[in-house]
Amino acid sequence: MVRIKLPSIPRDWELKEISSLARISTGSSKPGGGHRYVVLDMGSVDRTGNLVAKKLTDDSSDVMRMGELVMPKDDIGGGQIIGKAVMVDRDDSYVLGDHVYRLTIFDGDPAFIRYAINSDSVNASLRRKVVGSAQLGLPRRAVEEQMIPFPPIGEQRAIVAALSDASAWVESLDALILKKRDVKKAAHQSLLSGSTRLTGFREDWRSVSLNAICRPRTSKVASDSALLDAVCVDLEDIEPRTGRLVGQSKLSDSRSGRTLFYEGDVLFGKLRAYLQKYWHASCDGVCSAEIWALEPLVGECDSRYLEQLVTTARFVEAASATYGTHMPRSDWTIVGTTKFHVPGVEEQRAIGTFLADMDAEIDALVAQRDKAELIRQGMAQDLLTGKVRLI
């Protein structure tokens, strides 16, 4: 059995087996369809150790108490949830399901033990002990024998308070991002439909086909030796539903036959499985044959407005009319002739800028949230190993 070496700890800390801190038990499958209890089973814990339970039942067997931990012991996926732990936050609201362990803590702070179990070193150690192939399983003995760093109770509680504050910071940013996205979605729907007008615009909108305001680029790279320094974009480089470019194809990839695009174009994945992948090009470059590089026609369409247009339900519905069986693709003869109700270019520009500013605000919050999560992870690593002491 492969062992993971735990970090060194302060002299006044101990390394204790989980069996010396908690009693481990299992539950059974619970019927759904009720409303009294939330079932804690294999699908109730995500890979970050957060509670995601949704199944309800009226079965009152295996009712859980506040402070007990639940740990998935089986996984039919890649084993990412195995060994993670969540803590029950109230009495008489949850029941224990199947494919999980219940840890009833009798020594130490339950919240601290949860943080310790979910730490990188301890969780990696647990996951190294899984067995099986199609369905992975974590033996009870492996959990019982797992060692965790164990400081004095006062320091445990101080660590829990600090990490709880850091987690609350991340969660508050998550909630704010969700709220901002809901506001953006509402603004997007009302502005793109014309039900809400920005100040100063009164001209009537017109019904036009998409062909009348934009067109796909058709110019191809002639050879692999051309444009060797150009940004090269493939479908996997675009993050779904956010409009972010999160990668760039390797410079060594073949460029022959790729489509040229230019700054201000809107790149859109035309494979049916990738209809939510789009990007407002911030530079010139080349893209794969599975991406449309939509060129906004001068005097007819604003670039930022087009970026918002390709995310409307009407555009996605038109792009969903595909041809082919192995890898269905959108058909421009259908998409291009689809009618859209659009304002004049000046109002388009105002709408596009307004919504782009909202996107930028959300992006800034996401970056802040990611930074907060990195800080939280660093705090957990330092505090749970005693590298940083609070008392």
Side-chain angles (χ1 to χ4, degrees), residues 45-46 48-51 69-72 81-87 103 113-115 117-118 123:
V45 184
D46 67 17
T48 61
N50 290 318
L51 182 65
L69 307 185
V70 173
M71 175 191 294
I81 63 172
I82 286 181
K84 292 292 185 179
V86 296
M87 188 174 72
L103 280 67
I113 294 172
R114 173 186 173 251
Y115 278 126
I117 289 172
N118 289 343
N123 190 246

Side-chain angles (χ1 to χ4, degrees), residues 73-115:
K73 66 184 184 69
D74 301 312
D75 189 4
I76 58 176
Q80 297 297 314
I81 63 172
I82 286 181
K84 292 292 185 179
V86 296
M87 188 174 72
V88 174
D89 57 1
R90 56 187 181 273
D91 290 331
D92 301 321
S93 295
Y94 301 92
V95 293
L96 191 68
D98 54 353
H99 300 288
V100 293
Y101 292 124
R102 180 208 318 242
L103 280 67
T104 304
I105 309 301
F106 53 76
D107 186 12
D109 185 290
F112 173 84
I113 294 172
R114 173 186 173 251
Y115 278 126

Side-chain angles (χ1 to χ4, degrees), residues 287-305:
C287 59
S288 75
E290 308 307 340
I291 294 175
W292 276 325
L294 300 180
E295 172 194 6
L297 298 182
V298 177
E300 299 292 339
C301 185
D302 175 74
S303 172
R304 285 293 185 182
Y305 182 83

Side-chain angles (χ1 to χ4, degrees), residues 221-277:
V221 178
S223 67
D224 286 350
S225 61
L227 302 172
L228 287 177
D229 295 328
V231 170
C232 188
V233 179
D234 285 331
L235 286 172
E236 60 266 25
D237 302 323
I238 302 173
E239 187 175 75
R241 295 181 176 86
T242 66
R244 292 194 193 93
L245 193 67
V246 293
Q248 180 182 334
S249 297
K250 296 178 181 178
L251 294 177
S252 59
D253 288 351
S254 172
R255 277 155 167 67
S256 180
R258 290 178 178 267
T259 302
L260 293 164
F261 67 82
Y262 298 92
E263 182 179 356
D265 286 352
V266 177
L267 275 58
F268 188 86
K270 60 183 177 179
L271 290 179
R272 186 167 63 187
Y274 297 96
L275 295 182
Q276 297 297 332
K277 290 203 167 195

Side-chain angles (χ1 to χ4, degrees), residues 18-278:
I18 289 177
S19 62
S20 69
L21 307 173
R23 183 174 66 256
I24 300 175
S25 58
T26 57
S28 59
S29 177
K30 301 295 187 292
H35 65 277
R36 178 66 181 86
Y37 300 101
V38 177
V39 180
L40 298 182
D41 55 17
M42 184 170 64
S44 301
V45 184
D46 67 17
R47 64 180 59 191
T48 61
N50 290 318
L51 182 65
V52 291
K54 296 179 181 179
K55 181 179 177 181
L56 298 176
T57 187
D58 286 331
D59 189 328
S60 61
S61 59
D62 299 313
V63 174
M64 302 199 68
R65 300 298 179 189
M66 183 170 64
E68 291 185 315
L69 307 185
V70 173
M71 175 191 294
K73 66 184 184 69
D74 301 312
D75 189 4
I76 58 176
Q80 297 297 314
I81 63 172
I82 286 181
K84 292 292 185 179
V86 296
M87 188 174 72
V88 174
D89 57 1
R90 56 187 181 273
D91 290 331
D92 301 321
S93 295
Y94 301 92
V95 293
L96 191 68
D98 54 353
H99 300 288
V100 293
Y101 292 124
R102 180 208 318 242
L103 280 67
T104 304
I105 309 301
F106 53 76
D107 186 12
D109 185 290
F112 173 84
I113 294 172
R114 173 186 173 251
Y115 278 126
I117 289 172
N118 289 343
S119 66
D120 291 343
S121 57
V122 172
N123 190 246
S125 178
L126 286 170
R127 288 176 55 196
R128 290 294 186 110
K129 299 169 185 175
V130 299
V131 296
S133 54
Q135 177 169 299
L136 302 175
L138 179 63
R140 181 186 300 199
R141 184 174 178 181
V143 180
E144 292 173 337
E145 295 178 347
Q146 177 61 51
M147 308 291 286
I148 66 170
F150 195 76
I153 189 65
E155 191 164 2
Q156 289 181 37
R157 290 169 179 161
I159 290 171
V160 167
L163 294 181
S164 296
D165 287 345
S167 296
W169 179 29
V170 174
E171 290 166 6
S172 68
L173 288 171
D174 283 334
L176 182 57
I177 289 167
L178 183 60
K179 180 179 179 180
K180 293 289 186 180
R181 283 176 172 163
D182 286 342
V183 171
K184 160 67 194 307
K185 182 179 180 181
H188 181 274
Q189 291 174 341
S190 61
L191 290 173
L192 270 292
S193 67
S195 61
T196 298
R197 305 287 296 273
L198 295 176
T199 303
F201 295 100
R202 298 181 179 178
E203 294 182 4
D204 291 338
W205 288 29
R206 58 194 177 113
S207 179
V208 298
S209 65
L210 199 62
N211 275 325
I213 61 173
C214 71
R215 62 190 173 198
R217 299 277 187 185
T218 57
S219 298
K220 304 291 184 182
V221 178
S223 67
D224 286 350
S225 61
L227 302 172
L228 287 177
D229 295 328
V231 170
C232 188
V233 179
D234 285 331
L235 286 172
E236 60 266 25
D237 302 323
I238 302 173
E239 187 175 75
R241 295 181 176 86
T242 66
R244 292 194 193 93
L245 193 67
V246 293
Q248 180 182 334
S249 297
K250 296 178 181 178
L251 294 177
S252 59
D253 288 351
S254 172
R255 277 155 167 67
S256 180
R258 290 178 178 267
T259 302
L260 293 164
F261 67 82
Y262 298 92
E263 182 179 356
D265 286 352
V266 177
L267 275 58
F268 188 86
K270 60 183 177 179
L271 290 179
R272 186 167 63 187
Y274 297 96
L275 295 182
Q276 297 297 332
K277 290 203 167 195
Y278 59 91

